[in-house]
């Protein structure tokens, strides 16, 4: 056997020499990459691509000469993919890649960051500034967080007997707005008998809302004994809740991971460690030139299983609310925004809401969402839009 191998190598001496040199080159690339900082420069990526192309070409020729047809075909497919990757690398202008740490912080299992994911430091005041263009300031705001990690809504009135709870992302949180400009604040101002509690967290999805309910009894933070909860829904919550490749690699690798098992919704750690195979592939693919050129995301399309999963999270949130607060006045609110879905997708989503008896208030058509309803230089709603939506919300409650 060894003699046969030696004969084969001798007969293909040049190809084997090129293969060995290409493997050494790839090893040297990895050493160099590990010795630099955060940015993997274009020239360094080209080094990797050329090394891999030589390696795959050599293997293809060797398999072909050895009459290993199946292995040769598999190698040829890989070679063509890397060739396309290299061509698109030049088309995109030889961009750099960047190292990103997807590791999980060494925290206790019951820590809020492990259970809820993204949240705010308790008893803190944040100062947030956004500048665009020629140093044009879009906003320069402060927002306060209470001892239980939620945004403070000023103007609390101890004589009021009811509550309004708000869950959701930056739209409900009031990104780019002062504490007295959020949707929760305007609803409180227009409601003669209810105080508002803002549990929204920027950049989150449906999974974060459910995780909050499961992490602790939220009713202990609310003084009043009667009221309702509003989940301010944004279409991207679906993509965030299923942890698509783009959302996962950009900011959600430490988000709560839920999946359906045996027809039941179960919590399985975080996206990073709850689905290691899928998340691992996302980490390998998201900076490839093929993905960047075609602006691809995975999964490629929403399907019924995604709508079922997300609405099940909403249903479990509703059940948790009922258990903690003693009533079923839990509403999903379609807040006006840019349309990022097809009519068929929305129809299917609403059919799942109806099937699971989740009440919703559709404000998406109350206005045609565009510039004057947003922050000047940012797509989030401004204070006047929140004031208007508060009016509509209280009317349709």
């Amino acid at each position: 056997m060894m003699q046969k191998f030696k004969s084969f190598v001798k007969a293909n001496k040049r190809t084997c020499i090129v293969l060995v040199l290409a493997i050494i080159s790839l090893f040297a690339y990895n050493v160099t990459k590990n010795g630099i900082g955060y940015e993997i420069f274009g020239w360094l990526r080209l080094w990797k691509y050329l090394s891999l192309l030589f390696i795959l070409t050599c293997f293809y020729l060797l398999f072909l000469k050895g009459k290993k047809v199946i292995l040769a075909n598999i190698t040829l497919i890989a070679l063509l993919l890397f060739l396309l990757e290299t061509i698109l690398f030049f088309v995109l202008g030889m961009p750099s890649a960047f190292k990103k740490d997807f590791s999980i912080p060494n925290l206790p299992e019951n820590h809020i960051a492990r259970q809820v994911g993204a949240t705010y430091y308790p008893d803190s005041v944040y100062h947030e500034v956004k500048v665009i263009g020629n140093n044009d300031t879009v906003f320069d705001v402060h927002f306060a967080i209470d001892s239980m990690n939620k945004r403070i809504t000023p103007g609390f009135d101890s004589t009021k007997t009811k509550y309004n709870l708000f869950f959701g992302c930056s739209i409900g949180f009031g990104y780019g707005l002062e504490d007295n400009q959020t949707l929760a604040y305007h609803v409180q101002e227009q409601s003669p008998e209810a105080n508002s509690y803002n549990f929204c967290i920027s950049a989150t999805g449906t999974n974060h809302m459910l995780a909050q309910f499961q992490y602790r009894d939220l009713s202990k933070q609310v003084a009043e004994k009667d009221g309702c909860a509003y989940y301010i829904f944004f279409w991207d919550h679906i993509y965030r809740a299923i942890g698509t490749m783009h959302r996962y690699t950009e900011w959600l690798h430490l988000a709560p991971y839920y999946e359906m098992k045996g027809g039941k919704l179960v919590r399985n750690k975080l996206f990073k460690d709850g689905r290691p195979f899928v998340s691992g592939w996302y980490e390998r693919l998201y900076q490839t030139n093929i993905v960047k050129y075609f602006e691809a995301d995975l999964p490629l399309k929403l399907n019924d299983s995604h709508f079922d999963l997300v609405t099940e999270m909403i249903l479990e949130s509703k059940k948790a609310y009922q258990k903690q607060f003693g009533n079923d006045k839990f509403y999903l609110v379609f807040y006006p925004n840019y349309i990022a879905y097809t009519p068929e997708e929305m129809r299917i989503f609403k059919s799942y809401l109806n099937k699971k008896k989740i009440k919703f208030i559709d404000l998406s058509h109350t206005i045609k969402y565009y510039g004057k309803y947003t922050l000047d230089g940012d797509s989030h709603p401004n204070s006047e839009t929140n004031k208007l939506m508060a009016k509509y919300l209280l009317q349709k409650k």
Side-chain angles (χ1 to χ4, degrees):
M1 190 73 166
M2 183 58 69
Q3 187 64 37
K4 190 176 181 181
F5 175 75
K6 287 181 179 179
S7 298
F8 181 79
V9 171
K10 188 175 181 181
N12 299 279
K13 186 176 180 180
R14 290 182 180 178
T15 304
C16 290
I17 290 173
V18 173
L19 176 60
V20 171
L21 291 175
I23 292 173
I24 293 172
S25 175
L26 185 62
F27 176 77
Y29 156 78
N30 281 308
V31 171
T32 305
K33 181 193 73 173
N34 293 334
I36 63 174
Y38 172 70
E39 184 176 4
I40 304 172
F41 303 104
W43 63 267
L44 196 55
R45 297 183 74 194
L46 181 60
W47 181 357
K48 178 184 74 171
Y49 294 145
L50 292 176
S51 299
L52 285 169
L53 285 172
F54 275 111
I55 290 171
L56 289 170
T57 300
C58 290
F59 272 120
Y60 173 68
L61 293 173
L62 292 172
F63 286 141
L64 208 59
K65 290 182 179 180
K67 297 182 180 179
K68 305 293 183 181
V69 179
I70 294 176
L71 291 175
N73 287 335
I74 293 173
T75 307
L76 179 60
I77 292 171
L79 177 59
L80 292 174
L81 280 173
F82 268 102
L83 185 59
L84 175 61
E85 176 74 2
T86 306
I87 291 170
L88 292 178
F89 173 67
F90 287 109
V91 172
L92 292 170
M94 296 180 62
S96 295
F98 298 90
K99 298 177 185 178
K100 186 170 183 178
D101 183 10
F102 290 99
S103 62
I104 299 174
N106 186 21
L107 296 170
E109 193 63 33
N110 64 345
H111 193 281
I112 189 171
R114 292 277 294 176
Q115 294 299 315
V116 177
T119 189
Y120 303 99
Y121 287 105
D123 294 317
S124 58
V125 176
Y126 288 77
H127 180 203
E128 199 159 46
V129 181
K130 181 175 182 179
V131 178
I132 60 172
N134 297 319
N135 292 321
D136 293 326
T137 301
V138 178
F139 56 75
D140 183 348
V141 299
H142 296 77
F143 56 89
I145 305 298
D146 69 11
S147 62
M148 301 302 286
N149 311 87
K150 67 179 179 296
R151 184 168 190 174
I152 292 174
T153 302
F156 178 85
D157 186 346
S158 60
T159 65
K160 292 184 175 183
T161 58
K162 294 186 177 183
Y163 62 77
N164 287 313
L165 314 182
F166 292 85
F167 297 90
C169 65
S170 53
I171 293 173
F173 178 81
Y175 175 77
L177 300 173
E178 299 286 354
D179 292 335
N180 63 351
Q181 296 178 317
T182 67
L183 178 64
Y185 175 81
H186 285 298
V187 169
Q188 179 176 274
E189 285 295 290
Q190 296 177 35
S191 179
E193 54 184 6
N195 286 309
S196 287
Y197 297 82
N198 192 342
F199 291 94
C200 300
I201 305 172
S202 289
T204 61
T206 315
N207 46 335
H208 294 85
M209 172 176 63
L210 178 54
Q212 286 185 80
F213 275 114
Q214 294 179 338
Y215 180 65
R216 56 190 171 196
D217 186 346
L218 301 182
S219 67
K220 294 180 179 179
Q221 302 179 44
V222 179
E224 302 77 21
K225 300 302 179 185
D226 187 30
C228 62
Y230 298 112
Y231 169 35
I232 310 304
F233 177 79
F234 172 47
W235 190 258
D236 202 65
H237 289 185
I238 297 175
Y239 296 102
R240 298 174 190 181
I242 67 175
T244 67
M245 179 174 66
H246 172 70
R247 280 87 182 163
Y248 170 83
T249 54
E250 284 294 318
W251 77 93
L252 288 178
H253 70 284
L254 298 179
Y257 174 51
Y258 291 90
E259 59 181 335
M260 298 296 290
K261 281 189 175 181
K264 291 185 178 180
L265 182 73
V266 295
R267 171 74 185 269
N268 188 0
K269 304 178 184 178
L270 306 172
F271 281 127
K272 171 63 180 179
D273 54 355
R275 51 165 206 191
F277 179 78
V278 171
S279 295
W281 271 106
Y282 285 175
E283 292 170 22
R284 291 170 177 82
L285 293 173
Y286 82 106
Q287 290 196 84
T288 62
N289 302 306
I290 294 173
V291 166
K292 287 183 176 294
Y293 180 80
F294 291 104
E295 298 180 347
D297 197 6
L298 295 174
L300 296 173
K301 186 179 180 181
L302 294 176
N303 58 45
D304 280 64
S305 67
H306 300 135
F307 293 122
D308 183 45
L309 175 64
V310 175
T311 51
E312 197 65 24
M313 291 183 206
I314 300 170
L315 178 60
E316 287 302 311
S317 298
K318 175 187 174 182
K319 289 178 179 178
Y321 167 77
Q322 288 179 273
K323 183 178 179 180
Q324 294 178 17
F325 288 88
N327 67 67
D328 66 348
K329 289 178 278 190
F330 179 96
Y331 303 91
L332 179 145
V333 179
F334 288 98
Y335 196 100
N337 212 280
Y338 301 109
I339 296 175
Y341 50 83
T342 66
E344 179 63 10
E345 285 177 329
M346 180 57 79
R347 185 196 66 78
I348 295 172
F349 181 66
K350 285 184 176 179
S351 73
Y352 273 96
L353 293 176
N354 288 322
K355 178 182 176 182
K356 297 178 183 184
K357 298 180 180 179
I358 298 168
K359 293 176 283 191
F360 60 86
I361 299 172
D362 192 350
L363 301 181
S364 61
H365 301 296
T366 53
I367 59 172
K368 188 175 181 181
Y369 195 76
Y370 66 102
K372 79 172 188 176
Y373 294 108
T374 68
L375 297 171
D376 187 15
D378 186 275
S379 61
H380 286 82
N382 57 36
S383 180
E384 287 303 309
T385 303
N386 281 332
K387 186 176 182 179
L388 180 61
M389 290 305 108
K391 177 183 175 182
Y392 285 128
L393 184 60
L394 292 171
Q395 287 175 349
K396 295 193 176 186
K397 177 180 171 182

